[in-house]
Amino acid sequence: MTEASSPHPDSDDFMFDPNEDKIREECGVFGIFGMDNAASLTALGLHALQHRGQEACGIASFDGAKFHSERHLGLVGDNFTGADPSERLPGHISIGHNRYSTAGQTVLRNVQPLFSELHMGGFALAHNGHITNAYTIREQLVEKGALFQSTSDTEVVIHLIARAKKGEFIDRFVNAIRQVDGGYAFIGMTKDMLLGARDRFGIRPLLIGRLGDSYILASETCAFDMIGATFIREVEAGEVVVINADGIRSFTAFPNAKSRPCIFEFVYFARPDSIVSGKSVYEVRKRMGHRLAQETPADVDVIIPVPDSGVPAALGFAQETGVPFELGIIRNHYVGRTFIQPTQQIRDMGVRLKHSANRSMIEGKRVLLVDDSIVRGTTSTKIVRMIKAAGAKEVHFRSASPPIKHPDHYGIDMPSKDKLIAANYDLKAMTEMLEVDSLGFLSVEGLYWAMGETERLADEPQFTDHCFTGDYPTPLIDRDRDASGVSKQLSFLVEVA
């Protein structure tokens, strides 16, 4: 999935739900080599990674004679359950992908893994992230006669591999990713190898696991837990790994790589039971809550999380202060994104489809709401009104992350800067807009403290934190070209990967 391959904000096809105040998930990838039922294990791995993408899913496999592929719109459980997926997708090598479109129409041709017959054989590729020079490269390839079958920036890499003039497949792959920039985790498959790669800063996650004699690649450790595999290590920043019958080999695509993983994996994206960069996501989020309580205390009667992502931080806040933690908001897990909202009145009630106030925990009390972040402020305001309607005496709000002031360009669906509430208003104005008695955010320093760092290193930050600081680790070539009006020739083609 990639923001770069979604329509531009000025496109007629650009759609971001104005009622949504959450950053959209990224995508999830999974691959395994050396198991006869590889596709079945891939389906299970994608189940574990479902939180990273809920709009489409796909699996490809190779059985020793030919490639097999299925791509579907919808959830993994709606498409790869019932009969054993390995019966439809036989083979000992398999890769899979969960997709979350950031905007525009979800169409089957963009669902991954993408598959192509190259002159050196079949190749399937899946991608989590965003290539920040995809427009520029695609424009050059089209001028040279390239024919694209999808509107995904992932396909750019396939074209670069196909056009490489010499070398073994892995050499062509390394040469291709050296031409792209941004934040990405690639997972690919040929007839005799599984390969994975991370960008030179390791912005997007990719990990190595093992099940018996088989190696596995996945976006998070929770996918290993699902199938009983053992976590070995992360793919390093700028590293390419190749897994085949001889084992696993490592290649250095970017010799001067500097690890700087995305800090938003800890704030929101990763599942709480995952281990990222050697740290428990759950424990880090609790520490965010502890530090938030220290930095922005409030005289309240009860701490209530905004489910589900606000729960660990709210628990940490409660433990730090001694104020009771209660589930004052009950989430409905059975509401999909496609619920029809025909009138403004119904749209205004939309938050109640997902959240209901637990009146017995709220009425007559001074309530502190804790959420992982605030994006636009729209849903936050509706939740505040819901809590007030349930009889709260006061409502205070705390964000377990710093103010989001800058859009993402590495695969996260986030509105443009003019839609980010913290980028356009000061604390007093935001407090009034959210209709709360007080509002507070975790500081950048506090976020790094929660990550176990004594401070943020200004010259070489330990994490990619551009949403809070504006410090983008890579060039944003396509964004800068579009901002200058140099080229928007292909923007009407671009949807979502």
Side-chain angles (χ1 to χ4, degrees):
M1 163 226 151
T2 162
E3 179 182 334
S5 52
S6 64
H8 287 221
D10 56 354
S11 165
D12 292 337
D13 290 332
F14 184 83
M15 294 184 296
F16 189 94
D17 183 358
N19 300 298
E20 185 62 70
D21 193 26
K22 285 291 183 184
I23 295 171
R24 303 292 191 189
E25 288 86 344
E26 306 164 338
C27 294
V29 296
F30 183 96
I32 184 167
F33 181 95
M35 295 290 284
D36 290 336
N37 60 339
S40 297
L41 293 172
T42 298
L44 289 171
L46 293 181
H47 269 291
L49 299 172
Q50 187 71 86
H51 61 288
R52 298 186 73 91
Q54 294 100 46
E55 288 197 348
C57 54
I59 295 176
S61 70
F62 182 74
D63 64 5
K66 68 178 189 176
F67 289 89
H68 306 269
S69 177
E70 280 192 26
R71 300 184 295 164
H72 301 279
L73 303 181
L75 302 174
V76 177
D78 294 336
N79 295 289
F80 292 106
T81 55
D84 186 348
S86 293
E87 294 180 3
R88 305 180 337 241
L89 299 159
H92 68 288
I93 315 174
S94 178
I95 66 172
H97 183 266
N98 283 335
R99 175 175 179 266
Y100 203 116
S101 72
T102 58
Q105 183 182 15
T106 300
V107 291
L108 196 58
R109 63 175 172 158
N110 286 333
V111 179
Q112 299 183 24
L114 300 181
F115 177 79
S116 295
E117 286 286 358
L118 307 180
H119 68 275
M120 69 283 289
F123 177 56
L125 183 66
H127 169 212
N128 167 213
H130 161 34
I131 298 173
T132 55
N133 60 342
Y135 287 144
T136 302
I137 295 175
R138 180 174 180 137
E139 192 172 54
Q140 294 168 352
L141 291 171
V142 169
E143 288 175 351
K144 294 177 180 178
L147 300 175
F148 281 77
Q149 301 301 310
S150 77
T151 55
S152 162
D153 66 344
T154 309
E155 192 177 357
V156 166
V157 175
I158 296 177
H159 278 271
L160 292 174
I161 294 170
R163 287 171 175 262
K165 296 185 190 254
K166 60 181 180 179
E168 300 295 325
F169 182 85
I170 186 60
D171 299 318
R172 294 167 184 257
F173 178 78
V174 170
N175 178 68
I177 65 171
R178 282 176 176 168
Q179 297 178 62
V180 301
D181 216 332
Y184 56 76
F186 285 112
I187 186 167
M189 178 184 75
T190 70
K191 63 182 177 61
D192 55 12
M193 76 171 72
L194 174 71
L195 60 87
R198 288 180 79 184
D199 62 84
R200 59 194 172 97
F201 288 100
I203 297 172
R204 298 272 70 86
L206 189 62
L207 306 96
I208 304 171
R210 189 164 185 171
L211 180 62
D213 294 329
S214 300
Y215 285 102
I216 304 161
L217 297 172
S219 295
E220 293 185 37
T221 58
C222 62
F224 301 148
D225 297 336
M226 172 66 79
I227 63 172
T230 302
F231 168 63
I232 297 177
R233 68 174 179 89
E234 292 190 354
V235 176
E236 299 294 331
E239 182 185 15
V240 175
V241 294
V242 173
I243 299 165
N244 57 23
D246 297 324
I248 184 168
R249 291 183 296 161
S250 173
F251 298 84
T252 301
F254 301 95
N256 298 318
K258 166 66 178 175
S259 180
R260 193 175 165 184
C262 179
I263 206 165
F264 239 104
E265 291 288 337
F266 294 92
V267 172
Y268 178 68
F269 291 125
R271 252 177 50 167
D273 55 331
S274 284
I275 304 296
V276 178
S277 300
K279 306 175 191 298
S280 162
V281 173
Y282 180 77
E283 289 298 329
V284 168
R285 289 177 184 169
K286 279 183 62 178
R287 283 172 59 85
M288 291 175 187
H290 281 280
R291 183 60 178 256
L292 184 64
Q294 297 170 13
E295 294 184 350
T296 61
D299 187 11
V300 295
D301 303 312
V302 62
I303 309 296
I304 292 177
V306 177
D308 288 321
S309 54
V311 171
L315 185 58
F317 199 112
Q319 290 176 346
E320 180 69 26
T321 62
V323 177
F325 169 96
E326 298 289 354
L327 296 179
I329 301 173
I330 306 303
R331 180 182 174 190
N332 181 355
H333 291 268
Y334 304 101
V335 176
R337 297 182 63 230
T338 57
F339 184 86
I340 298 173
Q341 300 176 341
T343 68
Q344 185 61 45
Q345 181 182 10
I346 297 297
R347 283 193 292 269
D348 289 343
M349 286 190 268
V351 69
R352 301 180 193 175
L353 296 172
K354 295 182 180 180
H355 302 103
S356 300
N358 186 358
R359 181 177 287 271
S360 64
M361 295 293 103
I362 295 170
E363 193 168 18
K365 297 179 180 179
R366 299 169 298 170
V367 173
L368 178 75
L369 296 172
V370 178
D371 205 352
D372 62 274
S373 59
I374 300 175
V375 186
R376 293 183 175 223
T378 51
T379 297
S380 301
T381 302
K382 291 175 183 178
I383 288 175
V384 169
R385 291 174 181 172
M386 181 182 68
I387 298 299
K388 287 183 176 180
K393 185 178 179 180
E394 296 177 7
V395 181
H396 304 260
F397 206 110
R398 297 293 183 268
S399 167
S401 65
I404 297 174
K405 296 184 176 182
H406 306 273
D408 180 76
H409 293 276
Y410 300 113
I412 301 172
D413 177 18
M414 186 180 292
S416 56
K417 190 170 184 178
D418 64 327
K419 301 296 192 300
L420 298 172
I421 187 172
N424 297 281
Y425 301 95
D426 61 18
L427 185 63
K428 182 176 183 296
M430 286 190 287
T431 303
E432 294 173 353
M433 294 174 69
L434 267 59
E435 302 175 13
V436 291
D437 293 279
S438 73
L439 176 66
F441 293 85
L442 183 65
S443 67
V444 172
E445 293 75 16
L447 180 58
Y448 271 76
W449 176 88
M451 296 293 298
E453 304 290 344
T454 56
E455 62 178 342
R456 179 185 188 271
L457 303 178
D459 294 335
E460 293 186 349
Q462 302 93 311
F463 298 95
T464 294
D465 55 17
H466 52 279
C467 296
F468 311 123
T469 65
D471 183 0
Y472 295 93
T474 72
L476 304 178
I477 296 173
D478 292 334
R479 183 206 65 172
D480 294 340
R481 292 184 70 204
D482 288 344
S484 65
V486 173
S487 175
K488 292 190 177 182
Q489 177 181 344
L490 297 172
S491 62
F492 74 96
L493 290 173
V494 183
E495 292 169 357
V496 187

